[in-house]
Amino acid sequence: MTKIYGPGAEDLDRAARILAEGGIIAVPTETVYGLAAHALDEAACGRIFEIKGRPLIDPLIIHIHDLIGAKSLAAWNDWAELLAHAFWPGPLTFVLPKQSIVPALVTAGLETVAIRMPRHPVMRKLLIKCNLPLAAPSANPFGYLSPTRPEHVLEALGENLEFILDGGPCEIGLESTVLDLCDPLGPAILRPGAISGWQISEVLGIEILVKTQSMPEIPAPVSKGMPSPGLMHRHYSPRTPLAIRPHLHEFCRDEALTNEKIAFIAFQKPTERPDFTDSAAKIRFFWLTEDGDVEEAARNLYDLLHKVDRMNFNQIFIELAPESGLGAVINERLLRASGSAND
Ligand code: TXA
Ligand code: MG
């Protein structure tokens, strides 16, 4: 029985009905697929944590259709006003003081709430149709790779989910930038994403702090003092062990080549394939982009890791992207996926 529907008018009607009745569905956004529930329905949001296996200390992002919706959930300020006009709808999440109608479960007991206006056309239609704020973390089991296609959601969470709304492959492929707008010292990036600190700084005319340090594997008792509680040390990981190898040529000299069943993911399609005739390893090559286009690499990252993760290799080695713009965001995710992000 199929669980992937739509996005025709009848499918959107059904999706909206399930949400209004307190159900959970998977939804497309321009960044990654989300696992959505009516954000003001505490029981429904509780099911999101259960389905994901997510600790209750890790708060959810609420998706809204318009500024009126945003202001009903969060105490607005001038930075939010300027940034919403510049980047919404789009891949930028604001952390602001919460209004009292937002259930404590959604914000994990914090006095702040994360909100975002997504720009995926199917998600926008759904938000209009259901006329509800939607809490939606990425639609993956906690700690696993984020989904960028409906099939990724089906494979990882299909057993516990009746309805996945199909919006095709995600346009960006990396989770939104999370920006703290509560700190009187100035706005601070808690999670890097497609909207860069430089772009934010241009709009606000001030310097943007970065507070993306990683968190311990088992988080401390309660979230106070965690800049962004979801940023655990290991996150976004495939099941196959993943390690970073800086360059293809260094990799070719690596003693790990005696190991069997290795996948190597290069950033860009290699111009010449290395010669492995002396090696016992059965190596398969993949790449994130044909010609070095960093946006294409970002779009492909989770999809390729999902594919390679299904192929039963003993080890995946992956090259970092060039460390600028979206490349730096890809690298931040890879360091977490391999468990080697700095504390
Ligand atoms: O692109 C995205 O943001 C996707 C799509 C579905 O919108 N959502 C997403 O949600 O990535 P999630 O739950 O996987 O990540 C949300 C991040 C977590 O790191 C969480 O700790 C942080 O946002 N966050 C949520 N509320 C927060 C708050 N009040 N203060 C600080 N960080 C918060
Ligand atoms: Mg996530």
Side-chain angles (χ1 to χ4, degrees), residues 205-320:
I206 50 174
E207 201 183 323
I208 306 302
L209 309 169
V210 179
K211 288 196 211 154
T212 60
Q213 68 262 40
S214 59
M215 297 298 146
E217 185 94 24
I218 310 284
V222 166
S223 45
K224 294 254 157 48
M226 282 193 180
S228 197
L231 294 176
M232 308 299 165
H233 184 70
R234 198 177 156 85
H235 213 98
Y236 316 110
S237 303
R239 297 193 175 90
T240 316
L242 177 81
I244 311 280
R245 283 294 176 276
H247 298 291
L248 187 56
H249 292 288
E250 255 175 60
F251 164 73
C252 296
R253 293 195 296 268
D254 198 309
E255 71 284 359
L257 293 191
T258 53
N259 192 352
E260 282 191 24
K261 294 201 73 182
I262 293 170
F264 186 89
I265 303 179
F267 173 71
Q268 185 174 350
K269 184 176 179 180
T271 42
E272 49 178 304
R273 286 168 74 87
D275 178 14
F276 288 107
T277 44
D278 287 343
S279 159
K282 297 186 187 75
I283 298 166
R284 289 205 45 201
F285 275 94
F286 305 87
W287 44 86
L288 294 175
T289 156
E290 289 275 322
D291 55 8
D293 176 350
V294 79
E295 289 182 7
E296 184 192 359
R299 240 182 344 262
N300 288 336
L301 177 70
Y302 289 136
D303 186 38
L304 185 57
L305 284 171
H306 273 101
K307 270 189 201 132
V308 175
D309 202 23
R310 278 196 297 268
M311 297 168 112
N312 290 320
F313 289 100
N314 297 341
Q315 174 77 55
I316 305 170
F317 288 119
I318 189 161
E319 214 175 27
L320 291 175

Side-chain angles (χ1 to χ4, degrees), residues 52 54 137-138 140 146 175 191 235-236:
K52 273 186 70 93
R54 179 171 174 128
S138 51
N140 51 290
S146 293
E175 303 80 355
R191 178 177 71 183
H235 213 98
Y236 316 110

Side-chain angles (χ1 to χ4, degrees), residues 29 31-35 52 54 58-61 63 93 95 107 110 112-114 116 136-138 140 174-176 178 190-191 226-231 236:
T29 84
T31 57
V32 300
Y33 274 71
L35 197 57
K52 273 186 70 93
R54 179 171 174 128
D58 192 357
L60 307 178
I61 295 178
H63 299 68
T93 296
V95 173
T107 64
L110 296 173
T112 56
V113 62
R116 155 169 130 77
S138 51
N140 51 290
L174 297 170
E175 303 80 355
S176 63
V178 178
L190 305 181
R191 178 177 71 183
M226 282 193 180
S228 197
L231 294 176
Y236 316 110

Side-chain angles (χ1 to χ4, degrees), residues 1-59:
M1 185 190 87
T2 182
K3 296 185 171 189
I4 300 178
Y5 296 93
E10 281 178 19
D11 304 300
L12 286 166
D13 279 341
R14 187 164 157 224
R17 208 164 47 241
I18 297 174
L19 291 165
E21 289 166 359
I24 313 292
I25 66 169
V27 294
T29 84
E30 71 278 20
T31 57
V32 300
Y33 274 71
L35 197 57
H38 176 359
L40 306 183
D41 179 336
E42 196 153 357
C45 292
R47 287 271 298 138
I48 292 181
F49 286 91
E50 270 171 38
I51 293 174
K52 273 186 70 93
R54 179 171 174 128
L56 291 171
I57 59 155
D58 192 357

